[in-house]
Amino acid sequence: MRIFDPHIHMTSRTTDDYEAMHAAGVRALVEPAFWLGQPRTSVGSFTDYFDALVGWERFRAAQFGIAHHCTIALNPKEANDPRCAEVLDVLPRYLAKDGVVAVGEVGFDSMTVEEEKAFVRQLELAVEFELPAMVHTPHRDKEQGTRRTLELVTESGLAPGMVVVDHLNEVTVDQVDEAGCWMGFSIYPDTKMDEHRMVAILQRRGLDRVLVNSAADWGRSDPLKTAKTGAAMLEAGFSADDVDRVLWRNPIEFFGQSGRLLVDPELPDDASTGADASATFEGNSILRGSRD
Amino acid sequence: MTEIEPLADHDTIRHALDASAQAQLEALTAEVADDPSRLGRAFPAAARRTGRGPLPGVDGVLLEDAVRVRLVQVAASSLDPDALLAELREVYRYGDSDEKRAVLHALSGAPEEVDGSDLLLDALRTNDTRLVAAAMGPHSDRLDDDSWRQGVLKCLFTGVPVASVTALARRADRELAEMVQRYQREREAAGRDVPLDVQVVLDACATSPEQPQHEQKDL
Ligand SMILES: [Zn+2]
């Protein structure tokens, strides 16, 4: 099973996690820029964080044979702090980098005016830099937040296929599906969304435009939830090719739209060969540029 | 106005690229030639617009590094050493690890008047082995002896082959030998393997021309 985790915060994880992920088949991932638990109070701490996402964390992942990508944005929670508003001005530098495969996480936390302003501005940046957008949906009042999110996406002019709306559940999936956006599901070790409910959603609406992630971070979470969802799919009668589609080809297709992937999309589908996804990043094969 | 030694000659780079990547390289080069302050704009996109991976025909050189150093070379041709250094500091500050490494390689081909030792010291504070290795290249002759010795020791610690350390045979001295011996004793006391490069450095210290000089100074 080859796995691309499209949403995981490795900065908060240990090297044991990297080892276990590689053993489970994870060969590539996307780390979205997000809230660190402790609110930041200045632009400098954001730039240091962004530098780590395109620097140290990428290096660290490569040591474990995993290709690390990231998304860059001012997250909705901190968009509410006026001391952080200037972060929006430094984003273009980072959105130009290799391995930065989307603008994100953007969206709503508490549905404030400030959040909406930052969200709209960052959707504009996605259009300008020809990047996909990764949109976080609020944990509270998810349905209303998702509705407003989709309105703003439509107004932005960003193609729905360039947008993934994340942390969905049974209540929010259909409106995102109808809008033509990609659907992200975060599988948690608690009641928010588990692998069996995930399988039920896949059985009901199919595998198109679905991304499954662990969203593992500094909270209670499990970086192997992608692999566990793959196992649950097989148990429920999905084929190995279906699993590959959801856990590898779908994220490659979505983030490949950025033209910034640092992993070989044709990586051999066999975790046991020990094929090293970071090989392309380390420079063992010539990967030619695509668009741009 | 400032001459930068390229990592690979232009034809070698061109040969590694297909027609469309060659056109991209020409476009990037023209952009930077026209306005050297565009270097910071050209740098991040350089690898995805041209290519990445080992450069055929040049051992140990990556195509993306060769392309970026080529861009620095073009920008430098219309910048005086101070202006070039200011530009490189900016590119390094906001660069990802690949861009930072390319800046270090460009410094390795810089003339006497360009002193980017502050960038080398920044790279040596990281634990990114590719940056550490690049920092100990030819430009490391700008580092004072203490920083240089610490750099060599860091290579041993982080597993960077000391073959990538420029002028090891010339600069290795008794003080470095003592540092490395203490490191060796620590490893042995812990029952751990001693990296083979430890002996390489100690041999260099034993035969280095710095050795007698230092003894004289000590007297
Ligand atoms: Zn997240």
Side-chain angles (χ1 to χ4, degrees):
Chain A
M1 198 187 290
R2 54 179 180 174
I3 299 172
F4 187 133
D5 191 334
H7 185 150
I8 182 165
H9 300 281
M10 293 312 297
T11 303
S12 309
R13 310 301 306 194
T14 65
T15 51
D16 282 1
D17 289 334
Y18 268 124
E19 271 169 13
M21 287 162 65
H22 188 271
V26 177
R27 294 294 179 271
L29 58 83
V30 169
E31 173 156 8
F34 199 58
W35 188 52
L36 290 177
Q38 174 69 37
R40 283 164 285 207
T41 59
S42 71
V43 177
S45 50
F46 277 89
T47 53
D48 289 341
Y49 173 61
F50 297 153
D51 287 337
L53 291 181
V54 299
W56 177 240
E57 202 55 45
R58 199 181 277 180
F59 175 75
R60 215 164 73 98
Q63 307 308 298
F64 297 91
I66 295 176
H68 183 282
H69 309 83
C70 66
T71 74
I72 296 284
L74 171 61
N75 65 79
K77 213 181 263 277
E78 288 172 302
N80 289 303
D81 187 333
R83 291 171 299 183
C84 300
E86 284 163 43
V87 172
L88 293 174
D89 302 332
V90 305
L91 294 180
R93 276 187 188 275
Y94 294 95
L95 296 179
K97 303 281 181 220
D98 283 340
V100 175
V101 293
V103 176
E105 299 179 51
V106 294
F108 288 115
D109 179 59
S110 306
M111 308 277 296
T112 65
V113 177
E114 289 76 15
E115 286 172 20
E116 182 158 321
K117 216 170 110 188
F119 187 11
V120 168
R121 172 68 192 126
Q122 294 183 99
L123 288 173
E124 287 169 12
L125 286 173
V127 172
E128 183 185 335
F129 283 83
E130 300 179 56
L131 284 171
M134 179 188 284
V135 184
H136 165 97
T137 51
H139 296 296
R140 307 171 298 276
D141 199 4
K142 201 179 266 293
E143 198 178 356
Q144 182 54 30
T146 306
R147 182 162 301 124
R148 184 67 188 139
T149 290
L150 293 171
E151 284 169 13
L152 292 176
V153 165
T154 305
E155 286 169 22
S156 76
L158 191 60
M162 289 285 274
V163 177
V164 58
V165 184
D166 216 335
H167 314 310
L168 298 181
N169 57 25
E170 291 84 352
V171 175
T172 49
V173 54
D174 290 333
Q175 45 172 324
V176 177
D177 198 354
E178 281 156 25
C181 295
W182 285 69
M183 290 149 277
F185 296 89
S186 303
I187 314 301
Y188 296 100
D190 58 25
T191 52
K192 273 186 240 169
M193 171 57 71
D194 67 30
E195 50 268 50
H196 301 290
R197 284 162 56 201
M198 184 69 240
V199 167
I201 290 172
L202 291 171
Q203 282 168 330
R204 181 170 68 77
R205 65 146 320 272
L207 314 179
D208 264 8
R209 287 181 285 119
V210 170
L211 300 180
V212 173
N213 63 70
S214 70
D217 57 13
W218 34 258
R220 193 159 169 270
S221 46
D222 177 358
L224 302 183
K225 278 296 184 189
T226 46
K228 288 171 185 171
T229 301
M233 283 178 71
L234 292 172
E235 231 171 83
F238 281 104
S239 70
D241 188 70
D242 291 336
V243 174
D244 188 65
R245 165 113 191 261
V246 172
L247 295 184
W248 185 265
R249 302 198 306 269
N250 276 0
I252 290 278
E253 182 185 343
F254 178 72
F255 291 112
Q257 298 181 97
S258 69
R260 312 277 185 87
L261 285 178
L262 296 171
V263 67
D264 178 4
E266 309 296 339
L267 189 78
D269 179 11
D270 183 4
S272 62
T273 63
D276 183 351
S278 67
T280 50
F281 171 62
E282 286 290 329
N284 294 332
S285 71
I286 291 195
L287 195 67
R288 291 238 158 65
S290 41
R291 24 179 245 143
D292 193 330
Chain B
M1 287 194 287
T2 311
E3 217 170 299
I4 296 285
E5 192 81 34
L7 265 186
D9 63 62
H10 196 183
D11 278 347
T12 308
I13 298 174
R14 281 183 59 89
H15 273 129
L17 302 173
D18 61 23
S20 80
Q22 282 179 15
Q24 291 286 345
L25 177 62
E26 297 315 319
L28 286 165
T29 313
E31 180 182 355
V32 172
D34 191 46
D35 176 2
S37 74
R38 300 284 296 175
L39 188 63
R41 287 294 194 122
F43 238 56
R48 62 178 180 271
R49 287 178 63 176
T50 57
R52 67 176 85 240
L55 179 59
V58 196
D59 227 23
V61 170
L62 296 175
L63 175 57
E64 63 266 38
D65 290 355
V67 164
R68 287 192 171 114
V69 173
R70 164 85 185 144
L71 294 176
V72 174
Q73 184 192 14
V74 170
S77 65
S78 58
L79 294 171
D80 66 37
D82 285 346
L84 172 63
L85 202 50
E87 202 64 47
L88 289 179
R89 284 197 176 110
E90 192 75 359
V91 171
Y92 182 94
R93 164 63 190 88
Y94 290 101
D96 63 19
S97 304
D98 284 4
E99 295 171 68
K100 284 182 159 73
R101 187 184 63 235
V103 169
L104 299 174
H105 283 312
L107 286 172
S108 287
E112 200 60 43
E113 316 83 79
V114 176
D115 182 353
S117 50
D118 53 325
L119 300 184
L120 301 193
L121 292 171
D122 181 275
L124 288 170
R125 280 193 295 272
T126 74
N127 272 13
D128 186 326
T129 47
R130 298 160 310 170
L131 293 180
V132 171
M136 293 306 283
H139 204 65
S140 65
D141 61 4
R142 312 301 199 280
L143 295 176
D144 64 46
D145 288 342
D146 285 336
S147 307
W148 184 82
R149 290 188 204 101
Q150 289 292 341
V152 176
L153 197 58
K154 182 132 193 179
C155 287
L156 293 175
F157 257 91
T158 55
V160 171
V162 293
S164 57
V165 175
T166 297
L168 181 66
R170 183 172 55 73
R171 284 188 87 175
D173 58 7
R174 171 184 284 183
E175 198 165 334
L176 178 63
E178 287 168 0
M179 289 164 71
V180 171
Q181 279 160 353
R182 285 193 292 273
Y183 167 62
Q184 181 176 12
R185 279 200 296 278
E186 214 177 302
R187 300 279 301 201
E188 285 166 352
R192 301 177 67 193
D193 288 344
V194 176
L196 292 174
D197 267 355
V198 162
Q199 198 52 51
V200 176
V201 176
L202 290 176
D203 289 348
C205 294
T207 57
S208 163
E210 297 277 317
Q211 192 72 1
Q213 269 177 21
H214 243 267
E215 276 168 3
Q216 279 163 10
K217 249 189 267 171
D218 288 346
L219 294 171

